[in-house]
Amino acid sequence: DAGVTQSPTHLIKTRGQHVTLRCSPISGHKSVSWYQQVLGQGPQFIFQYYEKEERGRGNFPDRFSARQFPNYSSELNVNALLLGDSALYLCASSFLAEETQYFGPGTRLLVL
Amino acid sequence: GENVEQHPSTLSVQEGDSAVIKCTYSDSASNYFPWYKQELGKGPQLIIDIRSNVGEKKDQRIAVTLNKTAKHFSLHITETQPEDSAVYFCAANDYKLSFGAGTTVTVRA
């Protein structure tokens, strides 16, 4: 069975640019969550979507936004990139919002 | 919000010995406590989880214990093997996962 997939795997951007990261959940899962993992730290919660509705938001600025599509895939958008946005961005899916979360391999973003 | 503390930050064990990682959490409403293993260049992989109505859970060489009164939970790995070397994260869930800072486990052959 296919797990959570994310694209692209790596990305290099410059300060001020915009980036879109994509996630496809495990088949049948209706909830997608996004996390940011800075090198050497644990993942930090950004958003959770369930049935295309935002269910939760972490302590991130409005430059971060996301959405979930009818097929339950999701996009994370980050505007006006800063050097500090360099991190591994992880997507996790679960069948229901509070069920076990399974992570994808992540997208490594480098902002120069 | 939830605050999860994890200790130790690094752990080196001889192959065949046991490894123990401890976590504490702050929000008494949290009721789900997963543990993830992350290898270099990969996303976190769920290895075991426990819910607040259970005090202990075991899966082969891995076990987790939960003390809700004291708000702490622990991961125990017995008979460690070189492939157990990785970074381990504990997490607690109210409606979103709050992670500890991670423990880098090295198993010496």
Side-chain angles (χ1 to χ4, degrees):
Chain A
D1 288 342
V4 177
T5 59
Q6 293 186 242
S7 63
T9 56
H10 296 83
L11 203 53
I12 300 175
K13 292 285 189 178
T14 56
R15 282 176 296 175
Q17 285 189 313
H18 162 270
V19 68
T20 297
L21 310 180
R22 296 177 174 84
C23 170
S24 292
I26 293 170
S27 177
H29 284 193
K30 300 178 180 180
S31 181
V32 168
S33 299
W34 287 95
Y35 294 81
Q36 180 195 65
Q37 186 177 25
V38 175
L39 196 62
Q41 298 181 18
Q44 296 290 317
F45 173 79
I46 310 175
F47 286 108
Q48 185 184 66
Y49 276 78
Y50 176 67
E51 287 282 15
K52 302 177 286 293
E53 297 289 328
E54 181 184 303
R55 193 173 182 274
R57 172 187 285 257
N59 188 24
F60 280 81
D62 291 344
R63 299 185 296 107
F64 289 77
S65 64
R67 55 180 175 167
Q68 187 177 31
F69 299 99
N71 67 352
Y72 301 109
S73 67
S74 178
E75 284 183 354
L76 175 69
N77 294 282
V78 187
N79 293 322
L81 284 167
L82 303 175
L83 296 180
D85 294 331
S86 296
L88 180 67
Y89 288 85
L90 295 162
C91 173
S93 79
S94 56
F95 178 63
L96 298 175
E98 293 187 349
E99 293 289 319
T100 301
Q101 294 185 27
Y102 298 92
F103 284 84
T107 293
R108 187 162 297 281
L109 172 65
L110 177 62
V111 182
L112 301 176
Chain B
E2 178 64 273
N3 181 44
V4 177
E5 294 190 357
Q6 182 172 347
H7 300 280
S9 57
T10 61
L11 182 59
S12 180
V13 296
Q14 190 69 37
E15 181 178 359
D17 287 350
S18 295
V20 180
I21 304 171
K22 298 183 178 182
C23 289
T24 60
Y25 62 98
S26 61
D27 189 349
S28 57
S30 289
N31 57 11
Y32 174 62
F33 307 91
W35 286 87
Y36 289 88
K37 173 184 180 182
Q38 188 172 28
E39 298 174 323
L40 199 62
K42 297 184 178 181
Q45 175 192 4
L46 179 74
I47 56 172
I48 195 167
D49 55 10
I50 192 168
R51 297 192 180 272
S52 59
N53 58 345
V54 176
E56 184 174 357
K57 183 177 178 180
K58 188 174 181 180
D59 182 5
Q60 299 182 6
R61 298 186 296 109
I62 295 174
V64 58
T65 59
L66 171 64
N67 184 326
K68 284 224 74 180
T69 302
K71 294 182 191 173
H72 66 70
F73 55 114
S74 301
L75 177 71
H76 304 251
I77 306 174
T78 59
E79 301 173 11
T80 54
Q81 302 169 4
E83 53 264 37
D84 294 329
S85 296
V87 181
Y88 291 80
F89 292 98
C90 62
N93 187 332
D94 40 10
Y95 69 94
K96 60 190 181 185
L97 287 178
S98 297
F99 283 81
T103 298
T104 301
V105 174
T106 303
V107 179
R108 308 186 307 272

